[in-house]
């Protein structure tokens, strides 16, 4: 797959359909060895479905770009990628999995909206972010998870994980972008369900193409 222009695509699926043991086993047989090893280590059935569903989305995304088979490769900080032409990021929460692919660095995050934890925000957000959150007249739970998914999507883009604290950079939920290490990164938010927040981070200001996937149909073929 080659392209002369930037592209970002976000694949989204409800993985609860994989609670059907027949569908789960059929999908598991097509998973990569590394994914099967990871799934075997997971104890909760829901976590197994989420992990498997995320890779199913990655496979579908790559097939749509003409890539039928792949092996994971890993960058300097351990961030997985496919080859020099395709970058990807996966995330899952609740009943949903997402996968962002691009020809540039990309990160994505999805979170099921819960109760905002201001103690957690004070610890992991910058002072300005914490003050904005604690003084806002908007729904604090939604705003908390908007901030969280933005910050997590940038961390997933860089691939630095725990080596990059959440309070080491600042985001503006209203401008939808941030300056990090001399580069401007853009955040694109999605409301795929009223109970979830979803964000994609990239250098490109273009809006990612959203692709909704029916995993049940895809697995059955």
């Amino acid at each position: 797959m080659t392209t002369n222009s930037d592209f970002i695509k976000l694949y989204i699926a409800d993985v609860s359909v994989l609670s059907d043991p027949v569908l789960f086993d059929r999908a598991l047989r097509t998973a990569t060895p590394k994914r099967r090893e990871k799934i075997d280590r997971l104890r909760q059935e829901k976590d197994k479905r989420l992990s498997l569903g995320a890779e199913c989305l990655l496979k579908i995304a790559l097939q749509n770009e003409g890539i039928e088979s792949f092996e994971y490769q890993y960058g300097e900080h351990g961030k997985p990628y496919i080859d020099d032409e395709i970058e990807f990021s996966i995330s899952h929460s609740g009943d949903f999995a997402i996968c962002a692919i691009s020809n540039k660095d990309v990160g994505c995050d999805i979170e099921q909206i819960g109760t905002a934890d201001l103690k957690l925000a004070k610890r992991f957000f910058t002072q300005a972010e914490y003050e904005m959150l604690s003084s806002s007249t908007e729904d604090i739970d939604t705003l908390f998870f908007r901030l969280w998914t933005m910050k997590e999507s940038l961390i997933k883009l860089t691939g630095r994980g725990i080596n990059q604290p959440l309070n080491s950079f600042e985001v503006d939920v209203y401008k939808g972008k941030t300056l990090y290490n001399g580069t401007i990164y853009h955040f694109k938010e999605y409301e795929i369900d009223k109970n979830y927040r979803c964000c994609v981070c990239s250098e490109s200001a273009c809006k990612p193409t959203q692709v909704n996937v029916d995993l049940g149909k895809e697995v059955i073929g």
Side-chain angles (χ1 to χ4, degrees), residues 151-175:
K151 294 173 82 68
E152 281 286 346
S153 65
L154 177 55
I155 284 180
K156 290 182 177 182
L157 180 150
T158 65
R160 296 188 63 189
I162 61 174
N163 294 318
Q164 183 181 357
L166 285 174
N167 58 8
S168 66
F169 62 95
E170 195 164 280
V171 302
D172 187 324
V173 294
Y174 301 110
K175 291 183 179 179

Side-chain angles (χ1 to χ4, degrees), residues 37 70 74 113 118 129 159 177:
E37 290 174 6
F70 66 93
Y74 298 89
I113 297 174
L118 288 179
E129 290 167 343
K177 60 183 179 181

Side-chain angles (χ1 to χ4, degrees), residues 42-58:
L42 297 172
R43 295 183 178 182
Q44 301 296 323
E45 292 301 319
K46 186 173 185 178
D47 294 335
K48 292 176 182 286
R49 292 195 296 270
L50 286 166
S51 182
L52 180 58
E55 188 176 83
C56 286
L57 282 182
L58 175 59

Side-chain angles (χ1 to χ4, degrees), residues 2 18 25 37 49 64 70 75 93-95 104 113 120 134 144 157 174 176-177 184-185 195 197 200-201 204 216:
T2 58
L18 295 178
D25 289 343
E37 290 174 6
R49 292 195 296 270
N64 288 344
F70 66 93
S93 179
D95 287 328
K104 302 291 185 180
I113 297 174
L120 195 67
S134 57
F144 175 90
L157 180 150
Y174 301 110
K177 60 183 179 181
I184 294 176
Y185 291 100
N195 296 315
R197 295 304 306 185
V200 175
C201 178
S204 174

Side-chain angles (χ1 to χ4, degrees), residues 11-16 18 24 27 31-32 35 38-39 42 46-62 70 72 88-93 95-101 108 110 156 213 215 219:
Y11 287 74
I12 303 167
D14 183 340
V15 304
S16 62
L18 295 178
F24 183 90
T32 61
R35 182 61 54 171
K38 182 174 182 178
I39 290 171
L42 297 172
K46 186 173 185 178
D47 294 335
K48 292 176 182 286
R49 292 195 296 270
L50 286 166
S51 182
L52 180 58
E55 188 176 83
C56 286
L57 282 182
L58 175 59
K59 290 177 62 178
I60 293 167
L62 294 176
F70 66 93
Y72 293 110
F88 77 93
S89 178
I90 60 178
S91 180
H92 46 69
S93 179
D95 287 328
F96 284 92
I98 62 174
C99 173
I101 65 166
C108 68
I110 182 171
K156 290 182 177 182
V213 176
L215 279 184
V219 171

Side-chain angles (χ1 to χ4, degrees), residues 49-86:
R49 292 195 296 270
L50 286 166
S51 182
L52 180 58
E55 188 176 83
C56 286
L57 282 182
L58 175 59
K59 290 177 62 178
I60 293 167
L62 294 176
Q63 288 171 355
N64 288 344
E65 301 303 319
I67 301 174
E68 294 297 328
S69 62
F70 66 93
E71 292 184 3
Y72 293 110
Q73 301 184 62
Y74 298 89
E76 178 183 359
H77 301 292
K79 181 185 178 182
Y81 67 98
I82 300 304
D83 56 32
D84 292 336
E85 294 184 344
I86 289 287

